[in-house]
């Protein structure tokens, strides 16, 4: 068995796409009747990595082709298709001649793939491991793409949860022109396929999320839990001619980028699942971004190693940025004292919220009492002396509890499909530890 890993082939301006290059390699491999390609993996790596063009995708092809021949074909395709004219494009190729799920003695490959999804790696980390295992490799530019290529090789062993994406590609002469996709057919197909097929459209924003806006070769990509379902949804979409299509097995929609963490012990460029208590009233700032502070539930004993520059190490600013649209209303509905689990990436010391679970809602607030006879708001009778009614003289010891109307319920809330990161798990997929309030 041979595993071909590739990464970093496209440019932001010129438009290519590593999935397209992987499909082109697979097509070449399949031209030989004796060769079969068992699957194409689309692996989303750490979304916080600064070098990414867009979605930090890396690709692996699992085939029974002879490794030397697979290497030659992949290298030729990369040299001809990768946008190497863009100095920010640094393609990498790694070819391994073992089973994709070989894990003993390849624990280090599994660890590397995990780290590529959740952490930051150096080119030297990749080259050391490539050398250690004697893998064939090639690169152009600074060769950064070997990080993703190697991670894609290790991904099948490292990651346990997989979903599907069916990508339809455009005819090359249409690249860069507006896409002709019938909106109504997309919405109808999305409705038909939901919930097995998700993030096809955003009903709230009236947006066809599956159709990209960038100049590349993709016409649309249909994501879901199951191969037949995504294929069937794609078949229901009416559009310009589809030049080619390909099924990818992916780690999209799995939340594999999240690690359990503690407020006060987070670092930039990583994504977390954090327990906390709302510590400030939500505030809408210029641009429509909504901010709220979270503090450690215990109020201050978290380990502070690696903490980013917050004013208070046990307090973390959380943000729902304008593109998260209606999700911001959920954040605005929070109140000081609510207990949450918050998920997202930490960047510049702020947690960019992807989803949160309400664990406990504050249901009452302390208010100045109302006189039981006159129904007028009472007044303070002086420091520590309770309240008194100015009209009838009725006195009471202190503030009273008033119940609060809340627009939130316990359970998980998420950003809408239009703002979803590729790797983030939509609530509709299930498996969460509390009731869910899915967006679609
Ligand atoms: P494309 O649409 O082409 O797949 P992209 O958004 O996936 O674009 P790339 O052009 O592949 O972005 O650039 C990402 C670069 O960052 C690659 O060179 C990859 O090897 C590298 N990279 C990926 N994950 C990590 C990581 N965890 N640490 C360091 N570098 C990484």
């Amino acid at each position: 068995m041979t595993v071909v890993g590739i990464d970093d082939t496209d440019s932001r301006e010129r438009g290519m796409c590593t999935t397209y290059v992987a499909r082109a390699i697979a097509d070449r491999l399949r031209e030989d009747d004796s060769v079969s390609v068992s699957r194409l993996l689309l692996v989303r790596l750490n979304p916080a990595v600064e070098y990414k063009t867009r979605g930090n995708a890396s690709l692996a092809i699992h085939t029974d082709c002879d490794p030397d021949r697979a290497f030659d074909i992949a290298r030729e395709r990369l040299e001809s298709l990768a946008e190497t004219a863009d100095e920010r494009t640094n393609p990498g190729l790694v070819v391994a001649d073992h089973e994709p799920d070989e894990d003993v003695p390849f624990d280090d490959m599994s660890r590397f793939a995990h780290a590529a999804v959740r952490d930051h790696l150096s080119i030297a980390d990749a080259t050391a491991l490539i050398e250690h295992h004697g893998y064939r490799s090639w690169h152009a530019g600074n060769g950064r793409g070997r990080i993703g290529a190697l991670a894609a090789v290790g991904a099948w062993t490292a990651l346990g949860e997989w979903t599907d994406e069916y990508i339809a590609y455009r005819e090359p002469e249409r690249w860069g022109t507006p896409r002709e996709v019938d909106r109504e057919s997309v919405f109808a197909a999305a409705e038909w396929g939901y919930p097995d097929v998700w993030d096809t459209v955003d009903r709230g924003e009236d947006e066809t999320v599956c159709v990209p806006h960038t100049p590349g070769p993709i016409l649309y990509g249909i994501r879901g839990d199951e191969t037949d379902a995504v294929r069937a949804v794609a078949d229901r979409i009416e559009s310009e001619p589809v030049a080619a299509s390909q099924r990818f097995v992916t780690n999209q929609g799995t939340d594999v980028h999240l690690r359990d963490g503690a407020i006060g012990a987070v670092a930039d460029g990583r994504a977390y699942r954090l327990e906390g208590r709302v510590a400030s009233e939500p505030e809408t700032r210029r641009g429509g971004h909504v901010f709220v502070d979270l503090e450690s539930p215990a109020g201050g004993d978290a380990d502070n190693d690696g903490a980013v520059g917050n004013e208070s190490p046990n307090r973390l600013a959380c943000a729902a940025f304008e593109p998260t649209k209606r999700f911001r209303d959920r954040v605005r509905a929070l109140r000081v004292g609510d207990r949450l689990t918050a998920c997202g990436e930490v960047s510049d010391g702020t947690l960019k919220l992807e989803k949160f679970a309400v664990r406990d809602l504050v249901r009452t607030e302390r208010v100045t009492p109302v006189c039981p006879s006159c129904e007028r708001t009472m007044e303070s009778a002086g420091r520590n002396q309770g309240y008194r009614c100015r009209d009838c003289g009725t006195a009471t010891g202190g503030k009273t509890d008033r119940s609060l109307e809340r627009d939130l319920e316990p359970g998980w809330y998420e950003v809408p499909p239009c703002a979803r990161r590729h790797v983030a798990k939509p609530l509709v997929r299930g498996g969460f530890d509390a009731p869910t309030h899915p967006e679609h």
Side-chain angles (χ1 to χ4, degrees):
M1 202 63 185
T2 299
V3 187
V4 178
I6 62 166
D7 197 6
D8 209 336
T9 65
D10 64 344
S11 104
R12 208 180 291 259
E13 289 75 33
R14 299 159 69 94
M16 178 30 74
C17 160
T18 311
T19 70
Y20 184 84
V21 180
R23 196 197 62 84
I25 295 170
D27 272 0
R28 269 295 153 81
L29 292 168
R30 284 186 282 233
E31 277 174 13
D32 181 341
D33 288 342
S34 66
V35 167
S36 69
V37 171
S38 49
R39 71 180 70 79
L40 270 68
L41 277 194
L42 163 53
V43 187
R44 298 289 181 175
L45 305 176
N46 185 353
V49 161
E50 60 176 304
Y51 312 102
K52 69 176 182 179
T53 312
R54 283 181 294 268
N56 206 4
S58 68
L59 274 293
I61 302 152
H62 296 174
T63 175
D64 57 7
C65 181
D66 167 72
D68 286 323
R69 184 165 160 67
F71 181 81
D72 290 342
I73 287 174
R75 179 179 171 163
E76 184 280 319
R77 289 286 71 197
L78 277 169
E79 280 179 327
S80 113
L81 292 171
E83 291 289 356
T84 39
D86 185 329
E87 60 176 27
R88 292 176 42 138
T89 301
N90 297 296
L93 164 67
V94 175
V95 174
D97 51 355
H98 56 66
E99 294 295 321
D101 56 357
E102 190 128 33
D103 52 1
V104 182
F106 293 116
D107 279 1
D108 49 2
M109 282 297 289
S110 185
R111 274 199 302 276
F112 185 89
H114 249 287
V117 175
R118 294 192 177 168
D119 228 310
H120 296 262
L121 292 159
S122 68
I123 299 175
D125 293 328
T127 51
L129 205 50
I130 289 167
E131 209 168 294
H132 176 71
H133 288 299
Y135 294 151
R136 295 158 182 80
S137 86
W138 170 88
H139 69 275
N142 69 13
R144 172 164 293 280
R146 286 172 294 177
I147 297 174
L150 189 63
V153 170
W156 195 243
T157 314
L159 312 180
E161 193 180 353
W162 299 98
T163 63
D164 255 77
E165 177 157 0
Y166 180 88
I167 297 184
Y169 295 98
R170 312 187 72 191
E171 292 174 326
E173 55 274 20
R174 290 181 185 256
W175 295 5
T177 65
R179 290 169 174 83
E180 285 169 29
V181 180
D182 180 68
R183 285 173 59 81
E184 269 175 39
S185 72
V186 177
F187 276 90
E191 189 69 43
W192 180 85
Y194 191 81
D196 293 334
V197 178
W198 26 265
D199 289 358
T200 316
V201 298
D202 188 321
R203 283 187 184 73
E205 293 302 314
D206 197 27
E207 201 180 301
T208 51
V209 177
C210 63
V211 182
H213 304 293
T214 45
I218 295 181
L219 183 58
Y220 53 77
I222 307 299
R223 299 174 179 189
D225 294 326
E226 207 235 312
T227 315
D228 292 344
V230 290
R231 178 68 207 259
V233 165
D235 285 346
R236 286 168 175 254
I237 294 176
E238 288 162 27
S239 70
E240 65 184 53
V242 172
S245 59
Q246 177 65 50
R247 174 207 177 200
F248 293 89
V249 178
T250 96
N251 65 341
Q252 290 167 166
T254 63
D255 270 351
V256 66
H257 62 315
L258 300 178
R259 62 174 83 204
D260 292 327
I263 293 171
V266 296
D268 275 350
R270 290 167 182 80
Y272 297 91
R273 202 179 282 112
L274 301 168
E275 304 298 321
R277 217 181 127 268
V278 175
S280 70
E281 293 301 335
E283 184 192 341
T284 304
R285 298 196 191 148
R286 205 164 56 176
H289 313 304
V290 179
F291 288 81
V292 67
D293 281 356
L294 217 55
E295 65 183 11
S296 319
D301 55 3
D303 173 5
N304 194 24
D305 281 356
V308 289
N310 301 309
E311 271 176 30
S312 158
N314 292 310
R315 208 164 154 130
L316 183 68
C318 301
F321 291 106
E322 191 281 331
T324 65
K325 303 294 175 193
R326 54 197 187 269
F327 178 63
R328 294 171 300 161
D329 294 333
R330 307 305 197 180
V331 178
R332 285 189 191 103
L334 292 167
R335 292 192 70 112
V336 172
D338 289 342
R339 275 206 317 106
L340 305 183
T341 302
C343 302
E345 173 196 316
V346 176
S347 163
D348 297 328
T350 299
L351 185 82
K352 298 192 276 184
L353 286 166
E354 293 171 14
K355 56 167 70 79
F356 66 83
V358 173
R359 301 301 186 185
D360 198 17
L361 285 173
V362 172
R363 299 276 184 190
T364 57
E365 62 181 341
R366 301 287 287 165
V367 291
T368 305
V370 169
C371 174
S373 352
C374 316
E375 293 185 359
R376 282 186 56 153
T377 304
M378 298 168 92
E379 288 183 356
S380 172
R383 201 171 146 81
N384 295 329
Q385 292 184 48
Y387 292 85
R388 187 182 301 279
C389 176
R390 188 190 262 184
D391 289 357
C392 70
T394 302
T396 182
K399 287 195 170 179
T400 53
D401 284 339
R402 181 170 68 191
S403 65
L404 276 171
E405 282 284 319
R406 299 302 308 266
D407 286 339
L408 291 169
E409 291 164 26
W412 286 94
Y413 291 91
E414 65 181 353
V415 301
C418 68
R420 184 118 49 222
R421 314 194 90 169
H422 302 289
V423 71
K425 182 172 175 174
L427 296 179
V428 69
R429 295 204 61 225
F432 289 86
D433 63 1
T436 56
H437 308 279
E439 291 287 349
H440 72 288

